């Protein structure tokens, strides 16, 4: 850490100013921090506890960390502090982000196992630790009743938007920063949730967690070196149990934290939780589950067997690599449509657009394909402006093209692995926030999802969170999740000899059903 001290909002903590240290005052946040000379402005934000966005991991490529320093607009990650300065942030999505915490929840008897007698009203907790967001659920330990749900953005985003950037940071600097910030965030979230229902955090006796393989390893501080190079093997796949205190959680002194099992590669405990909620071990109909988040995980099969895979598709859908991209928060264009041949759009919260989120990006490209502004090969006549400040350019269209091709190729190779045709799939379950808000017509219209499945699409919300809730409510469900993970057949797409050929084939924005019938 580079900070020498901090003036915190509401309570000033004075620190002796040493030689070669400077004061950075964040005007709109009412926070001041002291940093060493040469510290980047981005690091100063982190030291001040502001949790900035740095999708490119501080490489100066995404432009999303722009701030005003002494009246001049600069990139925080590329600006080194050489004097005392005044800083104003351009935006703060922390409190305005729309985070999906709802999911289709199965009813199960509340049989969580032996609960401590000394806790009169025990509480159970489930946590969905996503790359972008964190959702925590509290349930009554005796009745199973949902007491409270709380969510927040994952503070690890200050180290990069995707899991590869975060793994790279850990390989260079060690795991403490990333594990520490997310453990502290979850502990705070659990405490906030308990207080919201007038309960004590010390009544929480058990926590079950779900997240992708990278989030799992970063939280538990397992080495991530095997995740960033072929054949991308997790260090641990079995379920893991830890003492809550050892994870930095201030709960009942005997509380435990249990992680659902990973499956392989970047298919982690979150996919296991999704499969548990969707009951892949009991489904008769051939089902495809697609979770399009910062990472794209997919499951295809039924009770006779199922195959899982992961694709690196998320940054475009989350807005990280889009010029004017942003999350689904206030000010984001979330839907674009044609009205009397004219392109119209909707902004979350109304007013002028501040950027465009994943669902809006998908709609926009589909609309511009229909008008001929974008060709099926992805060529764009010129940038399309929604306002003076918000627009799509050729780079953005190509980024979506890469992301949609990854998902489409994954589905196609899953079908081949299972020996089925896409027309045989009876249900397409769309999990996650992006899947919940996208327009099926746009998704099928650009070739992201197969046209023949449009009428079979069923959004299931936060299925990973729902699965984690089932696993903490019932020991039987937790053990069922372990069996699901063991039974799943893992398909490493990068190891498929013709993956790149299939991937390139899916680059086209053509609407035809490229899967065949």
């Amino acid at each position: 850490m580079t900070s020498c001290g901090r003036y915190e909002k509401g309570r000033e903590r004075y620190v002796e100013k040493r030689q070669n240290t400077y004061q950075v005052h964040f005007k709109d946040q009412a926070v001041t921090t002291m940093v060493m000379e040469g510290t980047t402005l981005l690091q100063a934000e982190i030291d001040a506890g502001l949790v900035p966005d740095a999708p490119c991991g501080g490489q100066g490529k995404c432009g999303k960390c722009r701030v005003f320093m002494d009246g001049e607009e600069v990139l925080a990650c590329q600006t080194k502090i050489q004097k005392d300065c005044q800083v104003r942030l351009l935006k703060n999505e922390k409190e305005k982000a729309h985070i999906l915490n709802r999911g289709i929840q199965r009813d199960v008897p509340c049989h969580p196992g032996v609960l401590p007698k000394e806790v009169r009203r025990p509480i159970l907790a489930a946590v969905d630790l996503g790359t972008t967001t964190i959702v925590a659920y509290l349930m009554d330990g005796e009745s199973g009743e949902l007491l409270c749900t709380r969510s927040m953005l994952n503070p690890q985003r200050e180290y990069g938007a995707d899991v590869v950037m975060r793994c790279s940071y850990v390989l260079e600097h060690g795991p403490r920063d990333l594990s520490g910030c997310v453990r502290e965030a979850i502990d705070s979230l659990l405490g906030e949730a308990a207080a919201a229902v007038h309960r004590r955090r010390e009544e929480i006796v058990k926590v079950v967690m779900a997240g992708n393989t990278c989030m799992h390893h970063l939280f538990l501080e397992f080495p991530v070196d095997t995740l960033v190079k072929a054949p991308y093997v997790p260090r641990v796949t079995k379920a893991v149990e830890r003492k809550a205190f050892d994870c930095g959680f201030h709960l009942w002194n005997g509380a435990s934290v249990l992680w659902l099992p990973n499956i392989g590669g970047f298919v982690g405990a979150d996919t296991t939780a999704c499969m548990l909620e969707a009951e892949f071990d009991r489904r008769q109909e051939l089902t495809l589950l697609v979770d399009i988040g910062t990472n794209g995980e997919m499951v295809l099969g039924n009770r006779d067997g199922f195959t899982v895979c992961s694709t690196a598709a998320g940054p475009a859908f989350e807005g990280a690599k889009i010029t004017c991209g942003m999350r689904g928060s206030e000010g984001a264009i979330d839907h674009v449509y044609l009205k009397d041949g004219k392109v119209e759009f909707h902004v979350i919260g109304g007013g002028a657009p501040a950027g465009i989120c994943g669902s809006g990006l998908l709609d926009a490209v589909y609309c511009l394909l229909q008008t001929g502004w974008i060709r099926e090969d992805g060529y764009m006549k010129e940038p399309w402006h929604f306002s003076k400040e918000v627009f799509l350019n050729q780079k953005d269209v190509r980024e979506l093209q890469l992301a949609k091709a990854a998902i489409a190729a994954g589905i196609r190779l899953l079908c081949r692995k299972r020996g089925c045709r896409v027309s045989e799939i009876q249900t397409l379950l769309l999990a996650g926030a992006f899947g919940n808000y996208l327009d099926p017509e746009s998704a099928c219209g650009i070739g992201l999802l197969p046209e023949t499945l449009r009428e079979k699409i069923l959004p299931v919300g936060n299925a990973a969170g729902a699965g984690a809730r089932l696993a903490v409510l019932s020991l039987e469900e937790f053990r069922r999740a372990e069996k699901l993970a063991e039974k799943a057949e893992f398909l490493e797409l990068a190891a498929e000899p013709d993956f790149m050929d299939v991937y390139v084939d899916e680059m086209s924005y053509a609407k035809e059903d490229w899967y065949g019938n």
Side-chain angles (χ1 to χ4, degrees), residues 19 24-26 48 51 61 63 87 132 139 158 179 187 194 240 276 299 306 311 329 350 373 399 431 469 471 480 508:
Q19 189 176 6
V24 182
H25 178 60
F26 297 94
V51 196
K61 296 180 179 179
V87 179
T132 303
M139 284 79 64
E158 64 196 19
S179 67
D187 182 54
V240 175
L276 178 64
V299 186
F306 38 90
T311 63
S329 54
W373 199 266
E399 287 291 347
R469 286 172 57 189
R480 187 178 172 191
S508 173

Side-chain angles (χ1 to χ4, degrees), residues 7-12 28-32:
Y7 294 81
E8 298 179 352
K9 185 177 180 179
R11 54 170 188 168
E12 293 185 339
D28 51 339
Q29 304 297 311
V31 174
T32 302

Side-chain angles (χ1 to χ4, degrees), residues 225-250:
D225 54 329
T226 59
L227 291 179
V228 295
K229 58 185 179 182
Y232 313 107
V233 179
R235 288 281 185 161
V236 177
T237 55
K238 299 290 185 182
V240 175
E241 181 173 359
R242 292 284 188 271
K243 292 293 184 183
F245 180 80
D246 293 336
C247 296
F249 294 171
H250 299 84

Side-chain angles (χ1 to χ4, degrees), residues 315-476:
F317 297 128
E318 297 288 346
K321 292 187 177 182
I322 305 304
T323 308
C324 298
M326 62 184 291
R327 298 186 185 89
S329 54
E330 289 186 24
I333 296 174
D334 62 337
H335 284 298
V336 182
Y337 53 95
L338 292 177
K339 184 176 181 181
D340 299 327
K342 183 181 178 182
V343 176
E344 303 280 356
F345 58 88
H346 174 266
V347 177
I348 298 176
I356 186 165
C357 66
S359 59
L361 172 66
L362 204 67
D363 287 350
V365 170
Y366 179 51
C367 288
L368 294 176
L369 278 167
Q370 291 176 283
T371 63
W373 199 266
I374 297 174
R375 295 192 318 217
E376 289 182 352
D377 64 1
Y379 174 77
M380 188 181 202
K381 287 183 178 181
E382 59 184 64
W384 178 270
H385 283 263
F386 297 96
S387 68
K388 185 177 179 180
E389 293 81 16
V390 181
F391 57 89
L392 288 183
N393 58 27
Q394 183 68 72
K395 171 184 171 294
D396 302 330
V397 174
R398 295 300 187 199
E399 287 291 347
L400 178 61
Q401 205 167 1
L402 295 172
K404 90 96 186 172
I407 295 293
I411 296 174
R412 182 168 160 183
L413 291 172
L414 275 179
C415 286
R416 186 176 73 183
K417 189 71 173 179
R418 295 303 307 170
C420 68
R421 301 173 71 86
V422 71
S423 56
E424 297 176 58
I425 297 173
Q426 295 168 277
T427 304
L428 170 52
L429 303 176
L430 277 183
F434 180 71
N436 192 72
Y437 296 118
L438 66 76
D439 183 340
E441 182 178 355
S442 298
C444 296
I446 70 165
L448 171 68
L449 299 174
E451 175 69 26
T452 192
L453 296 184
R454 187 196 298 188
E455 301 304 320
K456 301 177 181 179
I457 293 175
L458 175 64
V460 293
N462 188 350
R469 286 172 57 189
L470 291 172
V472 76
L473 286 172
S474 167
L475 275 179
E476 180 182 347

Side-chain angles (χ1 to χ4, degrees), residues 89-104:
L89 306 184
L90 289 179
K91 61 180 179 178
N92 179 19
E93 295 179 334
K94 184 174 181 180
E95 301 301 329
K96 300 179 181 179
H98 292 199
I99 299 174
L100 181 67
N101 52 37
R102 301 181 307 277
I104 298 175

Side-chain angles (χ1 to χ4, degrees), residues 103 155 205 236 257 297 325 341 378 398:
V205 300
V236 177
V257 174
E297 295 92 14
R398 295 300 187 199

Side-chain angles (χ1 to χ4, degrees), residues 200-220:
R200 298 169 56 247
R201 59 163 60 236
E202 290 80 9
E203 294 177 283
I204 301 174
V205 300
K206 185 179 181 181
V207 182
V208 166
M209 297 190 63
N212 65 49
T213 313
C214 182
M215 293 299 99
H216 171 279
H217 280 36
L218 293 179
F219 179 90
L220 294 167

